[in-house]
Amino acid sequence: MGKIIAIANQKGGVGKTTTAINLSAALAASGQRVLLIDADPQANATSGLGIEPKNMSSTVYECLVDEYPVRSATVDTDVEGLKLLGSRIDLVGAELELVEKQNRERVLKKAISDVKNDYDYIIIDCSPSLGLITVNALTAADSVIIPVQAEYFALEGISKLLNTIRIIKGKLNAALRIEGFLVTMYDARLRLANEIFEELKGHFGDMVFNTVIPRNTRISEAPSHGMPVIIYDPTCRGATSHIQLAQEIIARSKS
């Protein structure tokens, strides 16, 4: 049965979608069967895998609003073992359309229940907001990865997200847990980056991943070429760090 991991942080620019794309690809490269769900209307995870959102006949929108089968809406990617349930800008309207639905917070959970056994990991890229789609993602998930940028104001907003997670645990998904805090855009030469990492470790202990994602040009370039960094430049630090992250997650799943 697949483990469902949401990647969430309502603070923008922390590397959330970059993490979703590259972690999914790294897990697949490690021999896992992976589905990446793009639950962000910006559809950056979709285009970042080289798939043009407007050319998709069915996306997560149809699965949520029209109950279209997820298995029929998924598409193959250029990474062996990685499939995508893509997104389009019309997902913006899904928030309003879901309001009238019964059990509106559990629509995504119901939608992916049929395919959960098809995968080892289902990764959900959430939008940088705490709206109904993100609530659906956190209600469907077994755990959540919180990317944290290694810069000033990094911890800003985490308390709001943790409060949302507490509410969802209390009302919608008692089993939800934090998979880990992931430090992104890390530059070991900067004292501030090291201070933020130590501060996170001090606050959250083992919930902070040992792997950090470095500030790396190749990671930034890869989406414009429609591919994850492990394909764009397999030997760069950005690629190897995501492989390390995937191994750390697989090890945690077994423990």
Side-chain angles (χ1 to χ4, degrees):
M1 184 176 287
K3 182 174 187 177
I4 303 173
I5 303 176
I7 300 181
N9 192 332
Q10 81 277 10
K11 191 174 187 296
V14 298
K16 182 180 51 56
T17 297
T18 299
T19 300
I21 293 170
N22 291 306
L23 172 59
S24 297
L27 284 167
S30 302
Q32 307 297 306
R33 298 167 303 159
V34 184
L35 172 64
L36 173 57
I37 298 177
D38 188 350
D40 185 346
Q42 295 178 83
N44 289 335
T46 302
S47 59
L49 284 171
I51 295 163
E52 179 55 58
K54 66 174 179 280
N55 293 341
M56 300 191 77
S57 58
S58 52
T59 65
V60 67
Y61 172 86
E62 283 78 16
C63 297
L64 292 173
V65 174
D66 302 327
E67 299 183 23
Y68 190 79
V70 168
R71 193 174 280 115
S72 302
T74 55
V75 295
D76 292 324
T77 70
D78 290 336
V79 182
E80 187 176 350
L82 173 60
K83 288 183 178 285
L84 171 75
L85 176 58
S87 180
R88 278 195 308 259
I89 189 65
D90 55 7
L91 186 60
V92 170
E95 297 259 345
L96 292 173
E97 294 178 68
L98 287 179
V99 167
E100 302 299 322
K101 276 190 178 275
Q102 196 170 12
N103 285 325
R104 61 189 182 187
E105 299 91 351
R106 295 184 170 89
V107 175
L108 181 60
K109 182 174 184 175
K110 181 184 176 189
I112 60 181
S113 62
D114 290 344
V115 301
K116 194 172 180 182
N117 291 334
D118 296 353
Y119 300 98
D120 299 304
Y121 291 92
I122 297 174
I123 307 295
I124 307 174
D125 181 31
C126 299
S127 66
S129 73
L130 296 177
L132 188 52
I133 303 291
T134 299
V135 169
N136 262 266
L138 294 173
T139 302
D142 298 306
S143 63
V144 55
I145 290 174
I146 302 172
V148 181
Q149 190 175 357
E151 290 188 359
Y152 197 62
F153 295 135
L155 305 183
E156 187 183 78
I158 284 182
S159 60
K160 187 177 179 184
L161 178 60
L162 293 179
N163 189 50
T164 300
I165 291 170
R166 274 192 292 272
I167 292 168
I168 287 171
K169 277 177 69 78
K171 295 185 176 181
L172 295 165
N173 182 5
L176 181 65
R177 64 182 189 84
I178 295 173
E179 185 74 27
F181 293 85
L182 175 67
V183 176
T184 61
M185 305 180 200
Y186 179 79
D187 187 340
R189 298 168 300 177
L190 299 178
R191 189 177 71 180
L192 179 63
N194 292 296
E195 286 175 355
I196 287 167
F197 185 66
E198 293 305 319
E199 191 173 349
L200 274 174
K201 277 282 191 185
H203 274 295
F204 301 110
D206 290 343
M207 285 196 290
V208 181
F209 287 108
N210 293 320
T211 304
V212 296
I213 307 300
R215 187 174 286 282
N216 180 255
T217 305
R218 309 304 268 173
I219 293 178
S220 304
E221 291 172 352
S224 65
H225 295 271
M227 59 182 76
V229 71
I230 65 162
I231 291 180
Y232 180 63
D233 187 349
T235 61
C236 74
R237 284 168 57 239
T240 55
S241 64
H242 282 98
I243 293 289
Q244 287 172 4
L245 175 63
Q247 297 298 336
E248 194 172 346
I249 289 170
I250 291 167
R252 286 187 180 200
S253 299
K254 290 176 180 174
S255 62

